[in-house]
Each structure stands twice: as C-alpha cells, then as structure tokens.
Amino acid sequence: EALVLIASFDIWQSALLFRPHISVISHLFGRRNALLISDHIKRNNGLVAVLPTEGRPSTEGQITWATQGFDASLCDLYMAWSRTTADLIPPEANPLVAGCPRFDFYCPSYNSLIRPPEETQELLGLRADDKVITLASSYPQAKFTQINSDFNVKDWKDLRMTATKGQEDPALYARKEWAAFIQFQALIPAIKREFPEYKLVLKPHPSESMWMWETFCYDHDVILMQGDYIWNLLSISSCHISRTDCLTAAEAGYFKLNTFVLSDENTDEDGPGKELSQLVFRSSVSDSLSAQLHLVNECLSLGRTTGIDTRECYNKKWLTPGPDAAKRIAEQITNMSFKKFSVDDPTLDDLVK
C-alpha cells in the first residue's frame, strides 16, 4: 500500500515534512527542484523520478538544455516522452521511454472521455450547426513585459535557461514575445471580417494572464474558452490556428485538422519546432495580413485531412511512442520502487488484481 501525495508548487515543503520514498517532479533545474526537493530526498534514502509535463523543447538549444543541463546524479528515473529524447539523456539518469499521458486522450479507451462536440458547442453558447475556427494562444513570456519582469529574469538565471542560444536575455525574449502576441491578436479581427460565417473560439495558454485576452475577446466577439481541455476545443474545429511552437499544432493531427501556424523571432529556428512548421500551413508575423488570410482560406477550403496525417510520424518521434503512456509511467515508478524497497517487480496489472 502507498500514500500518494499530490503537492502544489511548494512541494519542497512537503518533501521536508513527509520525507517521501519517491518524489515525481517535472524537471531538475533550479534551486527549488534540485536542492530543496531532490537533493533532500536523496539524502534521506528516497528516490527521484522526472516526468516532463508541458513545454516540449522546440529548438536544438532547448533540447540540449532539457536533456544535458541538469545534475543526473539526482535522478533515479527519467520518463522521457520519446526514444528521440531518451537517447540524449545521460545514462546515469536511467532514461526510459514512457510517453506523455496527455496524448493518451487521443487513443482508445481514453478518447471516450472527450466530450461530444455538440455538448462543447452548447457549453460555449454555440449552435450545433455553427462552423468554428479555433485558436490556441501560446505566449506565456509576453506578460513579463508588463508584470513581474524582475522575477522572470531571476527565474531564468536560476533555471540556467540563459545558457541557451536565443534566451540569453530574458527581458529581450519577453519583449519579442509581446510583439509577436500583439501581431497574433491583429490577425483575429481580420479573420472575423474575411470569414464572417465562422465563429471564433480561443483557448489561452495556461501560463498566460487572462487580462491579456478578456477585454480583447469581448470587444471582438471571440468566444474565450477557459478551464477546459484542448481536445474538447479541437473536436469542434474546422480549422485550427496557433503559434508555431504550440503543441496544439501537433495535437490537431489527431483530429486530421488542417492547421495554420504563425511564426516569430522566438520560434522554429531549428529542431522540432521547425520540423513541425514544415508539416502545416505556416506564415510569419512579419508577412502581410493578406498572405496570412490566404493560408487560413487554404486550410478552410481543404477541410480535414484524409488517410494518414503527416503529423503522426512527428508525434511518435517527439511526443509519445503510442497509447498507454499513463500505464507505462505507473509501471516504471512501481518497478523502481520495488527494486529499492522490495525483491519483486510486479506489473501494474499485478497490483490492481
């Protein structure tokens, strides 16, 4: 039997109080995760497992930072999203391919949990026959031009993100992202004018501040989706629009949705971000509105893709090897536990009998 504690951002306080046998955290960067949590747990004969959550590295520099920039001696198990990533992680971190549980929801039997499209449209105040263009905003650094800029600079330095090419100056990076965010917003009323027969539904990035969108969406008659899952948004879409590096551009492939992405100075320089941009309709924020709208029209004209979506191979390469990531993660954590604290290695199926 095991007690599972789901802790908040201040998980290090729980680590000090409970001295867990195993701690599962999202990364090993920064003083909080490396020293206050992981080092403390290891010194108390505990185990540390890393399960990356959001924020797939999009450039080669970000991949190097994510796979090579942490203290591997603090890691007993690294549950990588893909073989491509696992092969880059130091062997002493014990990398295994698990996949990302987020993508389980696009495969049986988890996909039965996706809300029927007509229910989502009703919740959003749409009619069942309304045609919808969906948008996913992904500009989480932009807000730091307006608030908490000092925190952002200190945080990036603590996480050693400033060692990554293009991210040496967090304040400059945030200013570029704010400029790209404003240009993304400028596209939206143009879409409303060009395609008046479509309703627009926008889902902000979870790390964006809602003040960035609330007034804008109200003024431009855009439906703001809050507190819901991305798969429910994609299920009602006729065409999906996002920033180049946004994971939703890859996820839209599960729905065979033609997708338009907008790139900027901070995106798709190389690596997986650039690779994804070559599989969808791409324009730059520096391109004219007419050029951007032409590609949106292409997406709408083609409808959903048929046969194998070109993003399937990309998703397997970078995001998940296939269904049942959640089960693989549970088994890997369980097996690690029994190797440390017991003599047998049961599977998850053994434990639930």
Side-chain angles (χ1 to χ4, degrees):
E1 295 183 0
L3 172 65
V4 178
L5 173 66
I6 301 176
S8 68
F9 183 82
D10 295 324
I11 186 178
W12 65 271
Q13 296 175 340
S14 301
L16 293 174
L17 180 62
F18 291 99
R19 295 189 179 184
H21 293 90
I22 300 173
S23 179
V24 181
I25 57 178
S26 58
H27 63 78
L28 283 168
F29 295 97
R31 180 174 179 269
R32 181 176 62 95
N33 279 28
L35 180 61
L36 296 179
I37 300 174
S38 302
D39 183 69
H40 173 79
I41 289 171
K42 297 280 286 183
R43 288 176 184 273
N44 284 276
N45 200 37
L47 298 170
V48 174
V50 174
L51 175 61
T53 51
E54 298 288 341
R56 167 222 54 192
S58 295
T59 67
E60 292 177 2
Q62 291 172 358
I63 290 173
T64 300
W65 170 79
T67 60
Q68 305 290 321
F70 62 92
D71 183 355
S73 69
L74 295 175
C75 185
D76 297 288
L77 172 64
Y78 193 108
M79 294 172 282
W81 282 14
S82 67
R83 172 54 56 192
T84 310
T85 304
D87 288 344
L88 299 172
I89 296 168
E92 55 267 38
N94 189 25
L96 295 177
V97 180
C100 179
R102 165 174 173 167
F103 298 97
D104 282 354
F105 285 91
Y106 299 105
C107 306
S109 60
Y110 286 98
N111 61 0
S112 64
L113 298 174
I114 297 177
R115 189 187 302 122
E118 58 273 13
E119 290 186 18
T120 296
Q121 293 194 227
E122 183 179 2
L123 286 170
L124 293 171
L126 295 167
R127 299 191 307 270
D129 59 347
D130 279 336
K131 296 187 293 184
V132 177
I133 295 174
T134 58
L135 303 104
S137 177
S138 184
Y139 300 88
Q141 294 298 312
K143 63 179 178 289
F144 293 118
T145 61
Q146 313 296 312
I147 57 172
N148 299 329
S149 56
D150 289 342
F151 161 79
N152 186 47
V153 171
K154 292 177 183 177
D155 187 49
W156 274 35
K157 289 180 179 179
D158 179 49
L159 297 173
R160 291 186 287 180
M161 294 176 66
T162 50
T164 302
K165 179 185 175 183
Q167 299 181 181
E168 299 89 349
D169 185 342
L172 176 61
Y173 191 94
R175 288 197 298 273
K176 289 180 177 179
E177 189 149 303
W178 178 263
F181 165 72
I182 295 300
Q183 289 167 308
F184 183 82
Q185 281 193 330
L187 174 62
I188 294 174
I191 293 174
K192 290 279 294 183
R193 291 191 300 269
E194 189 74 13
F195 308 103
E197 69 273 25
Y198 286 87
K199 302 292 186 180
L200 270 59
V201 180
L202 181 138
K203 180 173 171 56
H205 188 280
S207 294
E208 288 180 349
S209 294
M210 290 310 300
W211 56 260
M212 296 167 61
W213 284 111
E214 286 175 331
T215 300
F216 177 91
C217 288
Y218 179 82
D219 290 343
H220 295 281
D221 192 27
V222 175
I223 297 172
L224 186 61
M225 176 183 270
Q226 303 181 55
D228 206 339
Y229 296 108
I230 186 61
W231 41 81
N232 290 326
L233 177 74
L234 295 174
S235 72
I236 65 171
S237 184
S238 298
C239 167
H240 185 60
I241 298 174
S242 74
R243 194 183 188 194
T244 306
D245 288 355
C246 183
L247 272 183
T248 68
E251 287 176 274
Y254 289 106
F255 288 91
K256 300 187 181 298
L257 278 175
N258 278 301
T259 303
F260 169 76
V261 298
L262 208 55
S263 68
D264 55 75
E265 286 190 74
N266 286 350
T267 64
D268 66 10
E269 175 185 348
D270 51 33
K274 182 177 182 180
E275 190 175 329
L276 177 60
S277 73
Q278 295 169 341
L279 302 176
V280 294
F281 292 90
R282 174 192 175 277
S283 186
S284 170
V285 293
S286 60
D287 293 338
S288 66
L289 272 177
S290 62
Q292 295 170 8
L293 292 171
H294 173 74
L295 291 178
V296 174
N297 185 58
E298 285 285 307
C299 286
L300 291 169
S301 300
L302 289 172
R304 293 180 184 261
T305 60
T306 57
I308 297 176
D309 191 282
T310 55
R311 285 164 286 192
E312 286 190 24
C313 291
Y314 174 90
N315 290 348
K316 289 181 179 178
K317 177 180 178 180
W318 291 109
L319 304 180
T320 189
D324 296 324
K327 183 176 180 180
R328 285 190 295 272
I329 290 165
E331 287 182 337
Q332 289 171 9
I333 293 172
T334 300
N335 289 339
M336 178 182 68
S337 170
F338 273 80
K339 286 176 181 177
K340 175 78 171 182
F341 303 113
S342 184
V343 295
D344 298 318
D345 289 354
T347 66
L348 182 63
D349 289 335
D350 294 329
L351 292 177
V352 299
K353 286 179 181 178

